[in-house]
PDB file of all heavy atoms in Angstrom:
ATOM      1  N   ALA A  18     -36.650-203.577 -40.567  1.00 90.00           N
ATOM      2  CA  ALA A  18     -37.727-203.564 -41.567  1.00 90.00           C
ATOM      3  C   ALA A  18     -38.231-202.151 -41.830  1.00 90.00           C
ATOM      4  O   ALA A  18     -38.612-201.817 -42.961  1.00 90.00           O
ATOM      5  CB  ALA A  18     -38.874-204.453 -41.101  1.00 90.00           C
ATOM      6  N   GLU A  19     -38.216-201.300 -40.806  1.00 90.00           N
ATOM      7  CA  GLU A  19     -38.705-199.937 -40.991  1.00 90.00           C
ATOM      8  C   GLU A  19     -37.847-199.175 -41.989  1.00 90.00           C
ATOM      9  O   GLU A  19     -38.352-198.384 -42.792  1.00 90.00           O
ATOM     10  CB  GLU A  19     -38.731-199.205 -39.647  1.00 90.00           C
ATOM     11  CG  GLU A  19     -39.339-197.815 -39.727  1.00 90.00           C
ATOM     12  CD  GLU A  19     -39.446-197.142 -38.375  1.00 90.00           C
ATOM     13  OE1 GLU A  19     -39.292-197.843 -37.349  1.00 90.00           O
ATOM     14  OE2 GLU A  19     -39.671-195.913 -38.346  1.00 90.00           O
ATOM     15  N   SER A  20     -36.519-199.418 -41.961  1.00 88.00           N
ATOM     16  CA  SER A  20     -35.616-198.737 -42.889  1.00 88.00           C
ATOM     17  C   SER A  20     -35.863-199.164 -44.332  1.00 88.00           C
ATOM     18  O   SER A  20     -35.507-198.440 -45.267  1.00 88.00           O
ATOM     19  CB  SER A  20     -34.156-199.014 -42.517  1.00 88.00           C
ATOM     20  OG  SER A  20     -33.848-198.487 -41.248  1.00 88.00           O
ATOM     21  N   TYR A  21     -36.475-200.345 -44.493  1.00 93.00           N
ATOM     22  CA  TYR A  21     -36.719-200.879 -45.832  1.00 93.00           C
ATOM     23  C   TYR A  21     -38.198-200.808 -46.217  1.00 93.00           C
ATOM     24  O   TYR A  21     -38.615-201.473 -47.168  1.00 93.00           O
ATOM     25  CB  TYR A  21     -36.236-202.321 -45.920  1.00 93.00           C
ATOM     26  CG  TYR A  21     -34.727-202.456 -45.827  1.00 93.00           C
ATOM     27  CD1 TYR A  21     -34.105-202.577 -44.586  1.00 93.00           C
ATOM     28  CD2 TYR A  21     -33.930-202.427 -46.957  1.00 93.00           C
ATOM     29  CE1 TYR A  21     -32.721-202.679 -44.487  1.00 93.00           C
ATOM     30  CE2 TYR A  21     -32.553-202.530 -46.875  1.00 93.00           C
ATOM     31  CZ  TYR A  21     -31.957-202.657 -45.636  1.00 93.00           C
ATOM     32  OH  TYR A  21     -30.585-202.756 -45.537  1.00 93.00           O
ATOM     33  N   SER A  22     -38.963-199.990 -45.518  1.00 95.00           N
ATOM     34  CA  SER A  22     -40.401-199.942 -45.803  1.00 95.00           C
ATOM     35  C   SER A  22     -40.675-199.474 -47.229  1.00 95.00           C
ATOM     36  O   SER A  22     -41.578-199.985 -47.907  1.00 95.00           O
ATOM     37  CB  SER A  22     -41.106-199.038 -44.793  1.00 95.00           C
ATOM     38  OG  SER A  22     -40.593-197.715 -44.856  1.00 95.00           O
ATOM     39  N   TYR A  23     -39.876-198.506 -47.722  1.00 96.00           N
ATOM     40  CA  TYR A  23     -40.071-198.050 -49.111  1.00 96.00           C
ATOM     41  C   TYR A  23     -39.762-199.179 -50.091  1.00 96.00           C
ATOM     42  O   TYR A  23     -40.397-199.298 -51.151  1.00 96.00           O
ATOM     43  CB  TYR A  23     -39.186-196.832 -49.406  1.00 96.00           C
ATOM     44  CG  TYR A  23     -37.734-197.157 -49.678  1.00 96.00           C
ATOM     45  CD1 TYR A  23     -37.278-197.353 -50.971  1.00 96.00           C
ATOM     46  CD2 TYR A  23     -36.815-197.300 -48.627  1.00 96.00           C
ATOM     47  CE1 TYR A  23     -35.953-197.666 -51.232  1.00 96.00           C
ATOM     48  CE2 TYR A  23     -35.494-197.609 -48.881  1.00 96.00           C
ATOM     49  CZ  TYR A  23     -35.060-197.788 -50.182  1.00 96.00           C
ATOM     50  OH  TYR A  23     -33.746-198.113 -50.426  1.00 96.00           O
ATOM     51  N   TYR A  24     -38.785-200.012 -49.759  1.00 96.00           N
ATOM     52  CA  TYR A  24     -38.400-201.122 -50.623  1.00 96.00           C
ATOM     53  C   TYR A  24     -39.503-202.171 -50.655  1.00 96.00           C
ATOM     54  O   TYR A  24     -39.787-202.750 -51.714  1.00 96.00           O
ATOM     55  CB  TYR A  24     -37.088-201.704 -50.096  1.00 96.00           C
ATOM     56  CG  TYR A  24     -36.373-202.644 -51.028  1.00 96.00           C
ATOM     57  CD1 TYR A  24     -35.982-202.251 -52.307  1.00 96.00           C
ATOM     58  CD2 TYR A  24     -36.052-203.944 -50.618  1.00 96.00           C
ATOM     59  CE1 TYR A  24     -35.313-203.110 -53.158  1.00 96.00           C
ATOM     60  CE2 TYR A  24     -35.370-204.816 -51.459  1.00 96.00           C
ATOM     61  CZ  TYR A  24     -35.004-204.394 -52.723  1.00 96.00           C
ATOM     62  OH  TYR A  24     -34.334-205.255 -53.561  1.00 96.00           O
ATOM     63  N   LEU A  25     -40.136-202.395 -49.508  1.00 97.00           N
ATOM     64  CA  LEU A  25     -41.251-203.340 -49.460  1.00 97.00           C
ATOM     65  C   LEU A  25     -42.457-202.808 -50.224  1.00 97.00           C
ATOM     66  O   LEU A  25     -43.223-203.581 -50.815  1.00 97.00           O
ATOM     67  CB  LEU A  25     -41.617-203.633 -48.002  1.00 97.00           C
ATOM     68  CG  LEU A  25     -40.554-204.400 -47.199  1.00 97.00           C
ATOM     69  CD1 LEU A  25     -40.928-204.444 -45.727  1.00 97.00           C
ATOM     70  CD2 LEU A  25     -40.375-205.812 -47.747  1.00 97.00           C
ATOM     71  N   ASP A  26     -42.628-201.478 -50.223  1.00 98.00           N
ATOM     72  CA  ASP A  26     -43.744-200.893 -50.982  1.00 98.00           C
ATOM     73  C   ASP A  26     -43.696-201.276 -52.456  1.00 98.00           C
ATOM     74  O   ASP A  26     -44.739-201.391 -53.116  1.00 98.00           O
ATOM     75  CB  ASP A  26     -43.722-199.365 -50.870  1.00 98.00           C
ATOM     76  CG  ASP A  26     -44.349-198.860 -49.582  1.00 98.00           C
ATOM     77  OD1 ASP A  26     -44.949-199.677 -48.841  1.00 98.00           O
ATOM     78  OD2 ASP A  26     -44.230-197.647 -49.307  1.00 98.00           O
ATOM     79  N   LEU A  27     -42.486-201.471 -52.985  1.00 98.00           N
ATOM     80  CA  LEU A  27     -42.357-201.839 -54.394  1.00 98.00           C
ATOM     81  C   LEU A  27     -42.996-203.195 -54.665  1.00 98.00           C
ATOM     82  O   LEU A  27     -43.412-203.485 -55.794  1.00 98.00           O
ATOM     83  CB  LEU A  27     -40.878-201.869 -54.814  1.00 98.00           C
ATOM     84  CG  LEU A  27     -40.058-200.599 -54.555  1.00 98.00           C
ATOM     85  CD1 LEU A  27     -38.630-200.791 -55.024  1.00 98.00           C
ATOM     86  CD2 LEU A  27     -40.701-199.392 -55.231  1.00 98.00           C
ATOM     87  N   ARG A  28     -43.059-204.047 -53.624  1.00 98.00           N
ATOM     88  CA  ARG A  28     -43.682-205.363 -53.760  1.00 98.00           C
ATOM     89  C   ARG A  28     -45.180-205.323 -53.420  1.00 98.00           C
ATOM     90  O   ARG A  28     -45.906-206.265 -53.734  1.00 98.00           O
ATOM     91  CB  ARG A  28     -42.984-206.370 -52.843  1.00 98.00           C
ATOM     92  CG  ARG A  28     -41.699-206.948 -53.400  1.00 98.00           C
ATOM     93  CD  ARG A  28     -40.530-206.019 -53.226  1.00 98.00           C
ATOM     94  NE  ARG A  28     -39.333-206.532 -53.916  1.00 98.00           N
ATOM     95  CZ  ARG A  28     -38.290-205.777 -54.232  1.00 98.00           C
ATOM     96  NH1 ARG A  28     -38.267-204.501 -53.917  1.00 98.00           N
ATOM     97  NH2 ARG A  28     -37.263-206.299 -54.859  1.00 98.00           N
ATOM     98  N   LYS A  29     -45.623-204.230 -52.779  1.00 98.00           N
ATOM     99  CA  LYS A  29     -47.041-204.106 -52.417  1.00 98.00           C
ATOM    100  C   LYS A  29     -47.878-203.547 -53.555  1.00 98.00           C
ATOM    101  O   LYS A  29     -49.046-203.898 -53.721  1.00 98.00           O
ATOM    102  CB  LYS A  29     -47.185-203.174 -51.212  1.00 98.00           C
ATOM    103  CG  LYS A  29     -46.714-203.747 -49.897  1.00 98.00           C
ATOM    104  CD  LYS A  29     -46.934-202.726 -48.780  1.00 98.00           C
ATOM    105  CE  LYS A  29     -46.418-203.236 -47.449  1.00 98.00           C
ATOM    106  NZ  LYS A  29     -46.590-202.221 -46.377  1.00 98.00           N
ATOM    107  N   TYR A  30     -47.285-202.653 -54.324  1.00 98.00           N
ATOM    108  CA  TYR A  30     -48.054-201.880 -55.295  1.00 98.00           C
ATOM    109  C   TYR A  30     -47.578-202.164 -56.724  1.00 98.00           C
ATOM    110  O   TYR A  30     -46.749-201.468 -57.268  1.00 98.00           O
ATOM    111  CB  TYR A  30     -47.952-200.389 -54.979  1.00 98.00           C
ATOM    112  CG  TYR A  30     -48.306-200.051 -53.551  1.00 98.00           C
ATOM    113  CD1 TYR A  30     -47.356-199.525 -52.684  1.00 98.00           C
ATOM    114  CD2 TYR A  30     -49.598-200.281 -53.066  1.00 98.00           C
ATOM    115  CE1 TYR A  30     -47.682-199.229 -51.364  1.00 98.00           C
ATOM    116  CE2 TYR A  30     -49.929-199.983 -51.745  1.00 98.00           C
ATOM    117  CZ  TYR A  30     -48.968-199.465 -50.900  1.00 98.00           C
ATOM    118  OH  TYR A  30     -49.289-199.169 -49.591  1.00 98.00           O
ATOM    119  N   GLY A  31     -48.108-203.234 -57.290  1.00 98.00           N
ATOM    120  CA  GLY A  31     -47.810-203.552 -58.686  1.00 98.00           C
ATOM    121  C   GLY A  31     -46.459-204.198 -58.898  1.00 98.00           C
ATOM    122  O   GLY A  31     -45.734-203.840 -59.832  1.00 98.00           O
ATOM    123  N   SER A  32     -46.117-205.160 -58.059  1.00 98.00           N
ATOM    124  CA  SER A  32     -44.819-205.834 -58.192  1.00 98.00           C
ATOM    125  C   SER A  32     -44.722-206.579 -59.518  1.00 98.00           C
ATOM    126  O   SER A  32     -45.713-207.129 -60.013  1.00 98.00           O
ATOM    127  CB  SER A  32     -44.629-206.817 -57.037  1.00 98.00           C
ATOM    128  OG  SER A  32     -43.352-207.399 -57.085  1.00 98.00           O
ATOM    129  N   VAL A  33     -43.525-206.575 -60.088  1.00 98.00           N
ATOM    130  CA  VAL A  33     -43.270-207.305 -61.340  1.00 98.00           C
ATOM    131  C   VAL A  33     -41.903-207.974 -61.250  1.00 98.00           C
ATOM    132  O   VAL A  33     -41.051-207.547 -60.473  1.00 98.00           O
ATOM    133  CB  VAL A  33     -43.288-206.363 -62.567  1.00 98.00           C
ATOM    134  CG1 VAL A  33     -44.647-205.685 -62.708  1.00 98.00           C
ATOM    135  CG2 VAL A  33     -42.174-205.327 -62.495  1.00 98.00           C
ATOM    136  N   PRO A  34     -41.686-209.019 -62.047  1.00 98.00           N
ATOM    137  CA  PRO A  34     -40.321-209.554 -62.135  1.00 98.00           C
ATOM    138  C   PRO A  34     -39.378-208.469 -62.635  1.00 98.00           C
ATOM    139  O   PRO A  34     -39.724-207.704 -63.547  1.00 98.00           O
ATOM    140  CB  PRO A  34     -40.453-210.688 -63.165  1.00 98.00           C
ATOM    141  CG  PRO A  34     -41.908-211.025 -63.190  1.00 98.00           C
ATOM    142  CD  PRO A  34     -42.634-209.751 -62.908  1.00 98.00           C
ATOM    143  N   HIS A  35     -38.209-208.387 -62.043  1.00 98.00           N
ATOM    144  CA  HIS A  35     -37.235-207.392 -62.499  1.00 98.00           C
ATOM    145  C   HIS A  35     -35.835-207.847 -62.128  1.00 98.00           C
ATOM    146  O   HIS A  35     -35.635-208.624 -61.197  1.00 98.00           O
ATOM    147  CB  HIS A  35     -37.534-206.001 -61.938  1.00 98.00           C
ATOM    148  CG  HIS A  35     -37.509-205.896 -60.440  1.00 98.00           C
ATOM    149  ND1 HIS A  35     -38.486-206.428 -59.633  1.00 98.00           N
ATOM    150  CD2 HIS A  35     -36.606-205.318 -59.603  1.00 98.00           C
ATOM    151  CE1 HIS A  35     -38.215-206.179 -58.372  1.00 98.00           C
ATOM    152  NE2 HIS A  35     -37.070-205.516 -58.310  1.00 98.00           N
ATOM    153  N   SER A  36     -34.874-207.341 -62.877  1.00 99.00           N
ATOM    154  CA  SER A  36     -33.479-207.761 -62.720  1.00 99.00           C
ATOM    155  C   SER A  36     -32.563-206.570 -62.921  1.00 99.00           C
ATOM    156  O   SER A  36     -32.946-205.559 -63.529  1.00 99.00           O
ATOM    157  CB  SER A  36     -33.118-208.843 -63.747  1.00 99.00           C
ATOM    158  OG  SER A  36     -33.951-209.967 -63.622  1.00 99.00           O
ATOM    159  N   GLY A  37     -31.344-206.714 -62.439  1.00 98.00           N
ATOM    160  CA  GLY A  37     -30.372-205.646 -62.613  1.00 98.00           C
ATOM    161  C   GLY A  37     -28.971-206.124 -62.311  1.00 98.00           C
ATOM    162  O   GLY A  37     -28.752-207.267 -61.909  1.00 98.00           O
ATOM    163  N   PHE A  38     -28.021-205.214 -62.506  1.00 98.00           N
ATOM    164  CA  PHE A  38     -26.620-205.560 -62.281  1.00 98.00           C
ATOM    165  C   PHE A  38     -25.817-204.306 -62.018  1.00 98.00           C
ATOM    166  O   PHE A  38     -26.289-203.180 -62.210  1.00 98.00           O
ATOM    167  CB  PHE A  38     -26.044-206.341 -63.466  1.00 98.00           C
ATOM    168  CG  PHE A  38     -26.045-205.601 -64.784  1.00 98.00           C
ATOM    169  CD1 PHE A  38     -24.933-204.850 -65.182  1.00 98.00           C
ATOM    170  CD2 PHE A  38     -27.131-205.662 -65.638  1.00 98.00           C
ATOM    171  CE1 PHE A  38     -24.917-204.185 -66.406  1.00 98.00           C
ATOM    172  CE2 PHE A  38     -27.134-204.993 -66.862  1.00 98.00           C
ATOM    173  CZ  PHE A  38     -26.018-204.255 -67.242  1.00 98.00           C
ATOM    174  N   GLY A  39     -24.602-204.503 -61.563  1.00 98.00           N
ATOM    175  CA  GLY A  39     -23.696-203.386 -61.341  1.00 98.00           C
ATOM    176  C   GLY A  39     -22.332-203.696 -61.919  1.00 98.00           C
ATOM    177  O   GLY A  39     -21.775-204.784 -61.696  1.00 98.00           O
ATOM    178  N   LEU A  40     -21.800-202.746 -62.698  1.00 98.00           N
ATOM    179  CA  LEU A  40     -20.452-202.886 -63.255  1.00 98.00           C
ATOM    180  C   LEU A  40     -19.535-201.894 -62.552  1.00 98.00           C
ATOM    181  O   LEU A  40     -19.841-200.693 -62.483  1.00 98.00           O
ATOM    182  CB  LEU A  40     -20.445-202.639 -64.762  1.00 98.00           C
ATOM    183  CG  LEU A  40     -19.057-202.675 -65.434  1.00 98.00           C
ATOM    184  CD1 LEU A  40     -19.109-203.424 -66.765  1.00 98.00           C
ATOM    185  CD2 LEU A  40     -18.507-201.260 -65.690  1.00 98.00           C
ATOM    186  N   GLY A  41     -18.420-202.385 -62.036  1.00 98.00           N
ATOM    187  CA  GLY A  41     -17.428-201.521 -61.414  1.00 98.00           C
ATOM    188  C   GLY A  41     -16.540-200.889 -62.472  1.00 98.00           C
ATOM    189  O   GLY A  41     -15.825-201.598 -63.197  1.00 98.00           O
ATOM    190  N   LEU A  42     -16.623-199.567 -62.586  1.00 98.00           N
ATOM    191  CA  LEU A  42     -15.916-198.875 -63.665  1.00 98.00           C
ATOM    192  C   LEU A  42     -14.414-199.125 -63.604  1.00 98.00           C
ATOM    193  O   LEU A  42     -13.789-199.445 -64.631  1.00 98.00           O
ATOM    194  CB  LEU A  42     -16.199-197.374 -63.580  1.00 98.00           C
ATOM    195  CG  LEU A  42     -15.426-196.489 -64.571  1.00 98.00           C
ATOM    196  CD1 LEU A  42     -15.779-196.834 -66.004  1.00 98.00           C
ATOM    197  CD2 LEU A  42     -15.696-195.009 -64.283  1.00 98.00           C
ATOM    198  N   GLU A  43     -13.816-198.971 -62.446  1.00 98.00           N
ATOM    199  CA  GLU A  43     -12.353-199.062 -62.359  1.00 98.00           C
ATOM    200  C   GLU A  43     -11.842-200.461 -62.707  1.00 98.00           C
ATOM    201  O   GLU A  43     -10.798-200.605 -63.350  1.00 98.00           O
ATOM    202  CB  GLU A  43     -11.872-198.655 -60.961  1.00 98.00           C
ATOM    203  CG  GLU A  43     -11.907-197.152 -60.714  1.00 98.00           C
ATOM    204  CD  GLU A  43     -13.310-196.613 -60.431  1.00 98.00           C
ATOM    205  OE1 GLU A  43     -14.236-197.433 -60.226  1.00 98.00           O
ATOM    206  OE2 GLU A  43     -13.485-195.388 -60.407  1.00 98.00           O
ATOM    207  N   ARG A  44     -12.566-201.493 -62.304  1.00 98.00           N
ATOM    208  CA  ARG A  44     -12.138-202.849 -62.682  1.00 98.00           C
ATOM    209  C   ARG A  44     -12.260-203.058 -64.190  1.00 98.00           C
ATOM    210  O   ARG A  44     -11.409-203.712 -64.803  1.00 98.00           O
ATOM    211  CB  ARG A  44     -12.966-203.891 -61.939  1.00 98.00           C
ATOM    212  CG  ARG A  44     -12.575-204.053 -60.482  1.00 98.00           C
ATOM    213  CD  ARG A  44     -13.191-205.303 -59.899  1.00 98.00           C
ATOM    214  NE  ARG A  44     -12.952-205.413 -58.467  1.00 98.00           N
ATOM    215  CZ  ARG A  44     -13.378-206.411 -57.721  1.00 98.00           C
ATOM    216  NH1 ARG A  44     -14.068-207.400 -58.278  1.00 98.00           N
ATOM    217  NH2 ARG A  44     -13.118-206.439 -56.434  1.00 98.00           N
ATOM    218  N   ALA A  45     -13.334-202.526 -64.771  1.00 98.00           N
ATOM    219  CA  ALA A  45     -13.492-202.646 -66.226  1.00 98.00           C
ATOM    220  C   ALA A  45     -12.374-201.912 -66.946  1.00 98.00           C
ATOM    221  O   ALA A  45     -11.824-202.410 -67.942  1.00 98.00           O
ATOM    222  CB  ALA A  45     -14.852-202.104 -66.650  1.00 98.00           C
ATOM    223  N   VAL A  46     -12.012-200.719 -66.463  1.00 98.00           N
ATOM    224  CA  VAL A  46     -10.916-199.969 -67.078  1.00 98.00           C
ATOM    225  C   VAL A  46      -9.611-200.733 -66.945  1.00 98.00           C
ATOM    226  O   VAL A  46      -8.819-200.811 -67.901  1.00 98.00           O
ATOM    227  CB  VAL A  46     -10.795-198.566 -66.442  1.00 98.00           C
ATOM    228  CG1 VAL A  46      -9.579-197.826 -67.009  1.00 98.00           C
ATOM    229  CG2 VAL A  46     -12.053-197.749 -66.674  1.00 98.00           C
ATOM    230  N   ALA A  47      -9.351-201.303 -65.777  1.00 98.00           N
ATOM    231  CA  ALA A  47      -8.113-202.057 -65.570  1.00 98.00           C
ATOM    232  C   ALA A  47      -8.011-203.213 -66.560  1.00 98.00           C
ATOM    233  O   ALA A  47      -6.967-203.419 -67.192  1.00 98.00           O
ATOM    234  CB  ALA A  47      -8.048-202.578 -64.132  1.00 98.00           C
ATOM    235  N   TRP A  48      -9.101-203.970 -66.693  1.00 98.00           N
ATOM    236  CA  TRP A  48      -9.086-205.112 -67.614  1.00 98.00           C
ATOM    237  C   TRP A  48      -8.899-204.667 -69.059  1.00 98.00           C
ATOM    238  O   TRP A  48      -8.006-205.153 -69.774  1.00 98.00           O
ATOM    239  CB  TRP A  48     -10.386-205.909 -67.462  1.00 98.00           C
ATOM    240  CG  TRP A  48     -10.679-206.811 -68.626  1.00 98.00           C
ATOM    241  CD1 TRP A  48      -9.810-207.667 -69.242  1.00 98.00           C
ATOM    242  CD2 TRP A  48     -11.919-206.925 -69.332  1.00 98.00           C
ATOM    243  NE1 TRP A  48     -10.433-208.306 -70.287  1.00 98.00           N
ATOM    244  CE2 TRP A  48     -11.724-207.875 -70.355  1.00 98.00           C
ATOM    245  CE3 TRP A  48     -13.164-206.330 -69.175  1.00 98.00           C
ATOM    246  CZ2 TRP A  48     -12.745-208.230 -71.242  1.00 98.00           C
ATOM    247  CZ3 TRP A  48     -14.191-206.686 -70.041  1.00 98.00           C
ATOM    248  CH2 TRP A  48     -13.974-207.625 -71.061  1.00 98.00           C
ATOM    249  N   ILE A  49      -9.701-203.712 -69.514  1.00 98.00           N
ATOM    250  CA  ILE A  49      -9.662-203.339 -70.923  1.00 98.00           C
ATOM    251  C   ILE A  49      -8.344-202.648 -71.277  1.00 98.00           C
ATOM    252  O   ILE A  49      -7.790-202.859 -72.356  1.00 98.00           O
ATOM    253  CB  ILE A  49     -10.877-202.463 -71.277  1.00 98.00           C
ATOM    254  CG1 ILE A  49     -12.167-203.294 -71.128  1.00 98.00           C
ATOM    255  CG2 ILE A  49     -10.770-201.917 -72.688  1.00 98.00           C
ATOM    256  CD1 ILE A  49     -13.447-202.493 -71.291  1.00 98.00           C
ATOM    257  N   SER A  50      -7.809-201.835 -70.367  1.00 98.00           N
ATOM    258  CA  SER A  50      -6.541-201.146 -70.647  1.00 98.00           C
ATOM    259  C   SER A  50      -5.328-202.022 -70.363  1.00 98.00           C
ATOM    260  O   SER A  50      -4.230-201.737 -70.858  1.00 98.00           O
ATOM    261  CB  SER A  50      -6.448-199.852 -69.838  1.00 98.00           C
ATOM    262  OG  SER A  50      -6.431-200.127 -68.452  1.00 98.00           O
TER     263      SER A  50
END
């Protein structure tokens, strides 16, 4: 938990719903090419 204290701070000080994603560049290149 100590290693994630900064991450928990995001929920302590003005938390909001939020979303995200990650695209792997090389897989996208393989598919499109």
Side-chain angles (χ1 to χ4, degrees):
E19 185 176 346
S20 296
Y21 292 88
S22 60
Y23 78 93
Y24 193 58
L25 293 171
D26 278 352
L27 305 180
R28 279 80 187 161
K29 288 181 183 178
Y30 307 116
S32 185
V33 300
H35 61 288
S36 302
F38 61 92
L40 176 138
L42 175 62
E43 285 77 11
R44 284 193 186 180
V46 175
W48 161 47
I49 295 173
S50 63

